[in-house]
Amino acid sequence: MKTKSFKEKLNEQTAFIDGYLDKYLDEKDNPQNIIYKAMRYSIFAGGKRLRPILMMNVCKMCGGDVNEIIPFACAIEMIHTYSLIHDDLPAMDNDDLRRGMPTSHIKFGEATAILAGDALLNKAFEVVSDYRGDDVKRAVKAINMLAVSSGTEGMIGGQIVDMESEGREITLEELCYLHLNKTGAIIRSACTIGALIGGGSDAQVKAVDEFAKNLGVAFQIQDDILDIIGNEQELGKPIGSDLEEEKNTYVRLAGLEKSKELAYVYSENAKSALAIFGDKADFLIELTDYLTKRRS
Ligand code: GRG
């Protein structure tokens, strides 16, 4: 039997998660139908499903059953999507395009876009709190990790630090702090929730956390690099906007060559952290290379 390529496995997992998102976000034929349309528009706008894919593969690597993690995997994608909808709003980044498509507020208007983001956040916690399994204690811990990582000590914390640092040049250390929270916190919880539900040992959870911390930084640096050397069509948004808007990015603070070097170092550190898993980590190692060499 032909073994599947990395890309085939990735596409298969994306379709798997899309099927469950489709069920959870089933459109209702009622007077509030437009909110379902707006939620679905952004969820099905072509995201890579990075966080659910990380979660499912960490769960599997730790010996767990992927079916148990599905509600958490869908919830984290809903939280990620809500953050993008709100980040694109006129009050924040004021972006008209994401993944090559009109952003939510351009398509549905600002008020509906705000509510679509809010509704996805609520839906995420509705889905994970509808837990029917035996290990309620573990599920509650995972729900807590999801909430903390997307809140004031995680993604929202990083976003506000980012907003507060606008208009002044910050240090590389401050930039790292900002991204460890803004981008890194939910990448990290995707992985540690995967390890928790997967039944990972303390040493495995620690290794997974180290992997996720480094991957999050490498991912963000690559995002900053793509703003300079990316292709508008592949990225689905204008190139050079970070530079034009004088945003604090790795490229602005460290330069392009140094940023490429840093992305390489962090991605190598991420991969090394998985050594204790042996060949069970093969897919996540390939995923790390894929993400840090990605063009979109
Ligand atoms: C508004 C609460 C609130 C938070 C916003 C995460 C965030 C905080 C904003 C997103 C803006 C941004 C460009 C962050 C950098 C991280 C990043 C590259 C996000 C995009 O993640 P991908 O590439 O997105 O996984 P897809 O499109 O594949 O889903």
Side-chain angles (χ1 to χ4, degrees), residues 165-172 174 246-248 252-254:
S165 67
E166 260 170 40
R168 74 180 169 91
E169 194 159 309
I170 59 174
T171 63
L172 209 49
E174 285 175 294
E246 297 185 353
K247 283 202 180 151
N248 285 304
R252 182 159 174 237
L253 298 193

Side-chain angles (χ1 to χ4, degrees), residues 3-16:
T3 53
K4 287 178 198 149
S5 70
F6 169 74
K7 213 56 216 277
E8 282 168 334
K9 288 184 203 160
L10 201 59
N11 290 341
E12 212 170 69
Q13 294 185 26
T14 306
F16 177 80

Side-chain angles (χ1 to χ4, degrees), residues 147-163:
V148 171
S149 65
S150 48
T152 50
E153 292 305 306
M155 182 176 73
I156 289 182
Q159 176 76 351
I160 199 92
V161 172
D162 194 6
M163 284 158 49

Side-chain angles (χ1 to χ4, degrees), residues 47-48 50-51 77 80 82-84 86-87 92 98-99 155-156 159 182-183 219-220 223 294:
K48 293 185 286 298
L50 161 65
R51 295 144 193 87
E77 187 66 12
H80 164 64
Y82 119 74
S83 81
L84 299 182
H86 282 193
D87 190 61
M92 294 212 189
R98 177 168 294 275
R99 304 156 178 159
M155 182 176 73
I156 289 182
Q159 176 76 351
K182 178 178 153 177
T183 321
F219 182 75
Q220 182 60 54
D223 200 59
R294 78 200 149 95

